[in-house]
Amino acid sequence: MSMKRLITLNIIVLLLLVAGGIAAYYYVNETTNYIKTDNARIDGQAISIVPPTAGKLVDWSGDIGKTFSSGDQIGAVSDGKNTFPITVPHHMTIVQQSAVTNSLVAPTVPLARGYDLSHLWVTANIEETKIEDIKTGQDVDIYVDAYPDRKFTGKVEKLGFATANTFSLLPSSNTTGNYTKVTQVIPITISIDDYNGAGLVPGMNVTVRIHK
């Protein structure tokens, strides 16, 4: 083998070793110092608007995207003799509405739904085998799919007291008697320190990295 080929081979081997070392360091650093999951989303408290009584919807101003303060009148309903205002229970932005003026409405059917977009958080599902390493107050790096060039920060606020499957409409069950263990996930709540001007909305996909 010529000296030139030998030098080239040595350089290639050296580069592979360096790359392998960097990859190994990154893996060890990530697994040792962080807990990471992409099973997470932007979340918030859903707020429903319902009429105070059954009757005809005689007034409505709840357009999607419109923001209201607590106590604002958003519409009115008439029961034939009296007219009752429909008010907003909490500061919110309308994200869905099905109200039709002059249609009949009932207190059991929401006319609109919304969120307080200034008070959102992240709900992340953590595998039960890792939950022991999660504590309130831990720093969290938040990466929102809709804003790939930005990093948000927050803290672990609350840990769930039941697995996510517990709240499913169709929870897994064992009808055959042959139980197969499946790793469950536990939802945790993560605050968002600063939106950084981003238009965050509930449901956006998120990846979180929790500092141990």
Side-chain angles (χ1 to χ4, degrees):
M1 181 181 295
S2 66
M3 182 60 68
K4 185 177 181 180
R5 292 185 62 187
L6 181 59
I7 293 174
T8 302
L9 181 60
N10 287 336
I11 292 174
I12 292 173
V13 171
L14 180 60
L15 290 175
L16 290 175
L17 289 174
V18 170
I22 293 173
Y25 171 79
Y26 176 81
Y27 175 79
V28 171
N29 180 63
E30 288 290 307
T31 56
T32 302
N33 299 315
Y34 307 100
I35 295 173
K36 188 175 182 179
T37 181
D38 60 1
N39 188 355
R41 69 181 186 278
I42 300 293
D43 213 342
Q45 178 62 57
I47 305 166
S48 296
I49 303 294
V50 295
T53 186
K56 179 187 286 188
L57 185 67
V58 295
D59 181 50
W60 181 254
S61 59
D63 298 330
I64 292 176
K66 197 170 182 179
T67 299
F68 295 86
S69 297
S70 178
D72 283 353
Q73 182 171 335
I74 193 173
V77 60
S78 172
D79 66 358
K81 297 178 182 181
N82 299 302
T83 299
F84 301 90
I86 304 172
T87 57
V88 174
H90 191 279
H91 179 82
M92 65 182 293
T93 299
I94 303 297
V95 299
Q96 180 189 46
Q97 71 95 20
S98 57
V100 178
T101 305
N102 294 322
S103 65
L104 296 178
V105 296
T108 55
V109 181
L111 299 174
R113 293 182 174 86
Y115 292 87
D116 181 354
L117 298 182
S118 64
H119 182 57
L120 300 175
W121 57 84
V122 172
T123 297
N125 294 309
I126 304 298
E127 293 179 357
E128 59 183 332
T129 54
K130 300 176 181 177
I131 200 68
E132 184 180 9
D133 292 325
I134 305 295
K135 303 289 186 297
T136 57
Q138 285 174 319
D139 292 327
V140 184
D141 300 326
I142 302 168
Y143 304 92
V144 182
D145 288 8
Y147 298 93
D149 298 327
R150 303 192 195 184
K151 183 179 81 170
F152 304 85
T153 59
K155 293 185 182 298
V156 176
E157 281 200 340
K158 291 185 293 185
L159 278 64
F161 292 97
T163 65
N165 182 63
T166 304
F167 307 106
S168 172
L169 293 177
L170 296 172
S172 59
S173 60
N174 177 27
T175 57
T176 65
N178 298 319
Y179 180 73
T180 301
K181 184 182 290 187
V182 177
T183 300
Q184 300 295 311
V185 294
I186 298 174
I188 68 170
T189 301
I190 299 167
S191 65
I192 304 173
D193 293 334
D194 191 338
Y195 290 11
N196 294 326
L200 302 181
V201 297
M204 283 182 169
N205 289 320
V206 171
T207 297
V208 299
R209 191 175 69 163
I210 303 167
H211 297 238
K212 290 185 180 179

